[in-house]
Amino acid sequence: MRFDKFIRPDNLQTALKYLQKDKDAVILGGNTFLRLSERKYTLGIDISNLKLDYIKESKEDIEIGAFTSLRTIETDPIINKYFSELLPESVKHLIGVQFRNNATIGGAIYSRLGFSEINTALLVLDCELEFEDHGRISFNDFISSPKIKRDILTKIIVKKQKGKSTYTMMRNANSDFSILSVAVSNFGYINIAVGNRPALAKLPEKAMKLINSDNSKLDETADLVAEELSFGDDLRAKSSYRKLITSVLVNRALRKVLL
Amino acid sequence: MKLKLSINQQFYNTHIDGDESLLDVLRNLGFKSVKKGCDTGACGVCSILINGEPTLSCQFLAARAEGKKITTVEGLGAKADKIVKAIINEGADQCGYCGPSLVLTIYAMKKELKDPTVDKIKHFLAGNLCRCSGYEGQLRGIKKYMGVK
Ligand SMILES: Cc1cc2nc3c(=O)[nH]c(=O)nc-3n(C[C@H](O)[C@H](O)[C@H](O)COP(=O)(O)OP(=O)(O)OC[C@H]3O[C@@H](n4cnc5c(N)ncnc54)[C@H](O)[C@@H]3O)c2cc1C
């Protein structure tokens, strides 16, 4: 990726104005994914001065600034207090510490990558996104339809809930993309998300209905998830293999939150 | 654009393109210990410390580095010697290409890990690839340096 001009606004309104004025302007997150693109932009808008790097706890929620690094997600005591088996687990195998110090949660969410593991994990939480122009949208709505364009993600709001949540994945080698990712939460209602299929993470609605109607139907639910979702081939795994792995990983994850 | 960088506790004034990586700028300034490997964020040989945190300089925009404290292995001086010795004593230095980034990451790890274990060490260093040592010798030396059995 190349750009002609670099600016570092110190407030969100200015950053948004530049972004919306010029269709060839781009928001610079941690620049980990962006820099691999061949595209040339006119303007790079640096958001590192917008004070979007924070994690705050209120009575009901945890707010995560969009410029928070994935390394902070991994190590932060508030995140670890509520979702240690879920959010830190979903980022800790991503390349190495020095990569995760650059990559931001906002960049991971906004790019809606089919191999993004934190997006699988966020899908099983009660989670909203706040955009500077569009305002609030549920994480699920954002992931399932790309209707927000040329906007700045400012924060991620996660409801604090009592219960268990877990994340698991399979990758062929350390630091490679994972070939499947599974997140499950049980906060009274059980949510299951499967990502890296290799497509964006999805909730298998029928399987979730089954397990929520009868908590003992673990094996049937795990098999149903594999039947319900679609899988694809890539150089890392075939769809048939991903399907087999799905029931195994979902089964393990369900046991962690139910037994 | 004009840029003033603080590298190893000295200031450097330079001119850069807005989209230049810190890796390229550091190498142009003569910090050749910072290696260019994959240039995609996967290998770790361009690691430096930014405000003490290990960071891939290939991804980090130089324009963003103003006001930050940059440390390359040259800046560690004698503090690097102990780490290098621990690795050399195990015969694990080999070609040396990944050495500077590994030394910096180990230095940051020692500061950060209060209660180091082999698993924590392996996790912290997962982003530092080495294509010749096979890691075992490195790990022996690093365990000794970290005081882990
Ligand atoms: C080599 C490599 C290996 C990887 N391996 C994995 C892996 O194993 N697992 C995994 O889950 N992911 C993996 N990833 C993806 C990684 O998680 C993303 O690259 C990273 O999270 C993107 O964050 P960033 O801050 O660097 O975004 P950038 O690269 O800066 O930006 C990505 C996109 O988001 C936009 N953007 C960024 N921030 C905002 C914002 N606040 N508001 C609006 N738009 C914004 C940018 O304009 C751009 O379009 C890998 C990526 C690379 C390059």
Side-chain angles (χ1 to χ4, degrees), chain B residues 17 61 71 80 110 126:
Chain B
D17 289 335
L61 288 165
T71 310
K110 175 111 173 171

Side-chain angles (χ1 to χ4, degrees), chain B residues 9-120:
Chain B
Q9 296 182 332
Q10 275 189 42
F11 285 107
Y12 293 79
N13 290 303
T14 184
H15 279 88
I16 60 152
D17 289 335
D19 58 3
E20 250 183 290
S21 70
L22 185 55
L23 166 63
D24 286 340
V25 171
L26 287 170
R27 286 186 62 83
N28 288 340
L29 287 172
F31 295 94
K32 300 286 187 204
S33 72
V34 190
K35 304 289 188 231
K36 193 163 193 162
C38 69
D39 206 17
T40 62
C43 75
V45 296
C46 67
S47 301
I48 52 163
L49 304 182
I50 295 187
N51 293 344
E53 303 278 355
T55 306
L56 294 177
S57 62
C58 71
Q59 299 170 332
F60 203 93
L61 288 165
R64 221 176 229 176
E66 201 157 49
K68 306 230 172 351
K69 283 187 187 150
I70 300 164
T71 310
T72 69
V73 82
E74 290 90 339
L76 287 191
K79 291 179 214 141
D81 295 347
K82 233 176 136 183
I83 304 171
V84 172
K85 240 185 220 151
I87 292 172
I88 287 180
N89 285 347
E90 297 297 332
D93 45 328
Q94 304 265 332
C95 86
Y97 198 76
C98 68
S101 57
L102 181 65
V103 169
L104 281 166
T105 316
I106 294 170
Y107 176 77
M109 171 172 73
K110 175 111 173 171
K111 289 199 151 181
E112 189 171 323
L113 293 188
K114 300 289 167 249
D115 176 24
T117 61
V118 173
D119 281 349
K120 285 183 189 170

Side-chain angles (χ1 to χ4, degrees), chain A residues 2 29 35 46 71 101, chain B residues 19 39 54 59 64 112 123:
Chain A
R2 309 274 343 230
R35 73 181 302 276
D46 184 8
R71 176 69 176 156
N101 272 331
Chain B
D19 58 3
D39 206 17
Q59 299 170 332
R64 221 176 229 176
E112 189 171 323
H123 180 66

Side-chain angles (χ1 to χ4, degrees), chain A residues 1-6 8 28-32 35-36 45-48 67 71 74-75 92-93 95-103 174-175, chain B residues 1 17-21 39-44 47 53-61 63-66 101 105 112 123-124 126-129:
Chain A
M1 179 264 308
R2 309 274 343 230
F3 52 84
D4 296 327
K5 220 179 134 209
F6 171 91
R8 183 166 34 218
L28 304 168
N31 197 33
T32 62
R35 73 181 302 276
L36 301 182
I45 306 169
D46 184 8
I47 57 170
S48 66
F67 198 68
R71 176 69 176 156
E74 180 187 352
T75 54
K92 72 187 229 194
H93 295 285
I95 309 274
V97 168
Q98 45 281 73
F99 184 104
R100 300 193 293 278
N101 272 331
N102 279 336
N174 225 350
S175 88
Chain B
M1 58 191 277
D17 289 335
D19 58 3
E20 250 183 290
S21 70
D39 206 17
T40 62
C43 75
S47 301
E53 303 278 355
T55 306
L56 294 177
S57 62
C58 71
Q59 299 170 332
F60 203 93
L61 288 165
R64 221 176 229 176
E66 201 157 49
S101 57
T105 316
E112 189 171 323
H123 180 66
F124 204 99
N128 290 81
L129 301 190

